[in-house]
Amino acid sequence: MIQIIRTSAENPDFIALIQELDKDIENRDGEEHSFYAQFNKTDSIKHALVVYEDERAIGCGAFKVYKDEVAEIKRMFVNPEDRGKGIASKILKELESWAEEENFKSCILETGKKYPEAIALYKKNGFVITSNYGQYEGIDDSVCFSKSILK
């Protein structure tokens, strides 16, 4: 049974999943890892999700305030052995719902060209590629997305 829990970045299961995510990112990003790592701290994240399957933490995601009515989705991850079950889409939908409940009107996010499965996930879930924003402006390997979450 799949269960999604709303929590914070202090949740021990969220922290453990983020450690696995960071290992994966470090492997893929190589020399560029330190640049991206500085934007992936969890200290400013107050809205985090952990997904459980039969009480085992298998995935996570979060969002934080980017500006005014824009939430930035961060730290999306599903254990490799649990991928292909639609878990990441469930995480995204729950993050969007929660952001809307918190009065955000849109979501933005960043991923990299080295993550084709993430790019496909975001497109499949209605996100559209947009100009790179903030710290990602001018970064060739970054791919930024946005989506209106107004119903």
Side-chain angles (χ1 to χ4, degrees):
M1 181 175 129
I2 301 292
Q3 183 179 23
I4 301 175
I5 301 295
R6 291 182 179 186
T7 186
S8 70
E10 288 84 36
N11 179 295
D13 289 329
F14 181 79
I15 292 168
L17 288 162
I18 293 304
Q19 290 170 344
E20 293 303 310
L21 168 62
D22 286 340
K23 287 179 197 171
D24 182 50
I25 290 172
E26 188 171 9
N27 284 340
R28 291 197 207 196
D29 286 346
E31 295 174 6
E32 299 169 346
H33 179 68
S34 61
F35 170 78
Y36 291 106
Q38 68 182 319
F39 305 121
N40 288 326
K41 306 282 186 244
T42 59
D43 53 347
S44 64
I45 292 177
K46 298 183 181 16
H47 300 87
L49 299 176
V50 178
V51 179
Y52 295 90
E53 183 175 50
D54 300 324
E55 299 183 26
R56 182 177 60 90
I58 63 168
C60 65
F63 72 88
K64 66 180 189 174
V65 176
Y66 179 70
K67 66 177 184 180
D68 298 329
E69 299 169 334
V70 180
E72 183 179 22
I73 293 180
K74 305 290 290 178
R75 315 303 359 233
M76 290 281 302
F77 179 73
V78 175
N79 285 328
E81 64 271 16
D82 295 298
R83 293 179 184 163
K85 301 176 184 177
I87 303 298
S89 289
K90 288 179 183 184
I91 293 169
L92 267 179
K93 285 178 179 44
E94 184 65 20
L95 289 171
E96 290 171 30
S97 293
W98 196 4
E100 184 181 26
E101 289 170 25
E102 297 290 326
N103 298 313
F104 290 97
K105 293 191 164 104
S106 64
C107 293
I108 59 172
L109 60 87
E110 182 272 346
T111 191
K113 291 180 180 174
K114 296 174 184 168
Y115 302 88
E117 71 284 6
I119 292 169
L121 168 74
Y122 300 132
K123 286 180 176 179
K124 178 176 89 172
N125 282 278
F127 281 79
V128 294
I129 294 176
T130 188
S131 300
N132 287 9
Y133 61 86
Q135 64 267 26
Y136 306 111
E137 287 180 16
I139 305 300
D140 215 29
D141 284 336
S142 287
V143 181
C144 294
F145 288 86
S146 67
K147 180 179 180 180
S148 172
I149 56 172
L150 293 175
K151 300 253 181 311

